[in-house]
Amino acid sequence: MTGRANSIIIVGGGASGVVLAAHLLKSTNPDLRVTLIEKRPHFGQGIAYSTLLSAHVLNVSAAGMSAYADDPGNFWRWLLERGLASQDQAPVYAPRSIYARYLGELLDDLEAREKQTGRLRLIHEESLSITPTASGVEVALANGTSVVAHLAVLATGHDEEPAQGHAIRMGSEADTALDPDRSVMVLGTGLSMVDAFLALEQRGHRGDIIAVSRRGLLPSPHRKGNPIKLDVADIPLGTQLSYFVGWFRDLIKENQTAGIDWRDVVDGLRPFNQKIWQNWPASAKRRFVEHTKAWWDIHRHRMAPEVYARVTEAVQSGRIRLVAGRVVDIARNGEFTVQIQSRHTQRVEAFEIARIYDCSGIVRDISTSSNSVVRSLVDRGLARPDPLRIGLDVSANCEIIAGDGTVSAKILAVGPLTRGTFFEIDAIPDIRVQCARLSKQLLG
């Protein structure tokens, strides 16, 4: 596919879409045309960076959040130039609203630079479908028009699963005013729960927060460190999950004995995470998602230290109660009576709750996606879920795989949609590398 695409449509103008556009426009090809389509009012935000709450900070320090794979210090310099950070502060976990501003300014600069060339076009509209044509693709928009190009790249980012049953999403239309002294329940104890807690605090909520998940585990905090150096030859690729987990635990123990923090071991493995995933047999991938992922997530996807301090203080004071268990019944009589079966004792405990928030995370079956384009592609057989149904099935080159197994040369995907193939592809440090590789692949 190298060097064949002069016109490219990026469906989704959140962080993944802006980062891909930035990498594509590094090309000097005067005939290149990039069209970026986003239904939200602002480019560069999506779900992750649309929050205005200052307590909602990045989960990766500023030093790792550059949009450019070949310029890792770009975001840090941007902060320094605007007086939003100082050299003696590092590491800095900037508010996510500030990162949205960074991506917005980056895109503004690209738009100004390309104004005379016409190489960048921005469209504020919802994309409904992508249809292959004889010479490329056609993207149908909600306003009744369409856009054509040689190929399209899906960059629709994180897609939350629709809230289940009586639960609602934080910040949704259903999230109306609430008695600040009433108890609420949060389904999930990961980073989305942390965001919900911070939002409730901002609103002045004083009632108890019952946070429920299968294991009741909180994400760990970041600490400044130095990742250990590993070589691919050190890693047991292609083994069963139990063997790999045993090897990794031994590696952590060995390094801890030498005085090295476990975080430096986890971070040392990061450059190989996608290769590890891709070399596991299907059985290992499934077992990891079902049984091991929760443990991995709390160590791999960590909180800023200042956020961790606020959350743990709330846990210690009883404001947040972590419950390891599952919901077995919800009865509503004005408010809710929720029955939780404990993971450890099998005892059932009832909670009187004013509201239930669903913070259980990403879509667990991509065919139920709230995104019109994704659903359309799957429904028409132009795309299919990956074997675990956590994303779309794509090739190692990001090409969409159709329902009959054929690989598309015209429809591709980047970012979280491709997690079935790449797994670790939710954070900017990984997405920017993927976008850089795809840009080179498409443009040479």
Side-chain angles (χ1 to χ4, degrees), residues 107-282:
L107 191 60
D108 288 344
D109 290 345
L110 289 173
E111 188 179 20
R113 191 189 76 191
E114 302 295 344
K115 187 174 183 179
Q116 298 302 318
T117 68
R119 297 200 311 164
L120 175 63
R121 180 186 181 191
L122 304 180
I123 298 177
H124 282 284
E125 189 54 78
E126 181 181 4
S127 301
L128 298 181
S129 65
I130 303 174
T131 302
T133 65
S135 58
V137 292
E138 180 176 4
V139 178
L141 304 179
N143 63 7
T145 66
S146 63
V147 187
V148 296
H150 289 130
L151 58 84
V153 183
L154 281 167
T156 53
H158 293 279
D159 185 17
E160 291 182 330
E161 190 166 22
Q164 302 297 308
H166 297 290
I168 66 171
R169 290 289 185 187
M170 175 65 67
S172 66
E173 290 184 4
D175 189 15
T176 54
L178 179 68
D179 182 339
D181 294 309
R182 298 295 293 143
S183 296
V184 300
M185 179 170 285
V186 179
L187 304 181
T189 60
L191 293 172
S192 295
M193 182 280 289
V194 172
D195 279 353
F197 161 68
L198 294 170
L200 287 167
E201 267 208 332
Q202 177 77 11
R203 297 177 190 176
H205 186 79
R206 298 182 294 269
D208 292 338
I209 299 170
I210 315 299
V212 182
S213 67
R214 280 197 302 163
R215 295 175 176 82
L217 300 173
L218 275 179
S220 301
H222 282 290
R223 286 183 187 166
K224 191 173 183 179
N226 295 296
I228 66 170
K229 301 297 183 183
L230 289 171
D231 187 270
V232 68
D234 299 325
I235 302 168
L237 299 175
T239 60
Q240 286 297 328
L241 182 62
S242 57
Y243 181 88
F244 182 88
V245 169
W247 168 81
F248 191 53
R249 283 176 173 163
D250 289 343
L251 181 66
I252 289 175
K253 289 178 182 176
E254 175 186 331
N255 279 275
Q256 286 181 320
T257 300
I260 296 173
D261 192 283
W262 61 262
R263 294 166 182 79
D264 293 332
V265 184
V266 171
D267 293 345
L269 196 69
R270 180 171 184 164
F272 309 99
N273 286 344
Q274 292 183 3
K275 185 177 288 291
I276 292 166
W277 175 259
Q278 291 166 350
N279 277 275
W280 271 342

Side-chain angles (χ1 to χ4, degrees), residues 49 57-67 72-77 79 85 89-95 99 102 222-225 267 270 300 302-306 427-429 432:
Y49 306 116
V57 300
L58 298 170
N59 296 312
V60 177
S61 73
M65 288 296 291
S66 168
N74 187 270
F75 178 53
W76 178 238
R77 293 197 306 274
L79 288 173
Q89 280 183 282
V92 169
Y93 297 88
Y99 193 72
Y102 162 72
H222 282 290
R223 286 183 187 166
K224 191 173 183 179
D267 293 345
R270 180 171 184 164
R300 170 69 181 82
R302 304 190 287 271
M303 285 187 267
E306 59 269 28
I428 292 295
R432 70 189 184 198

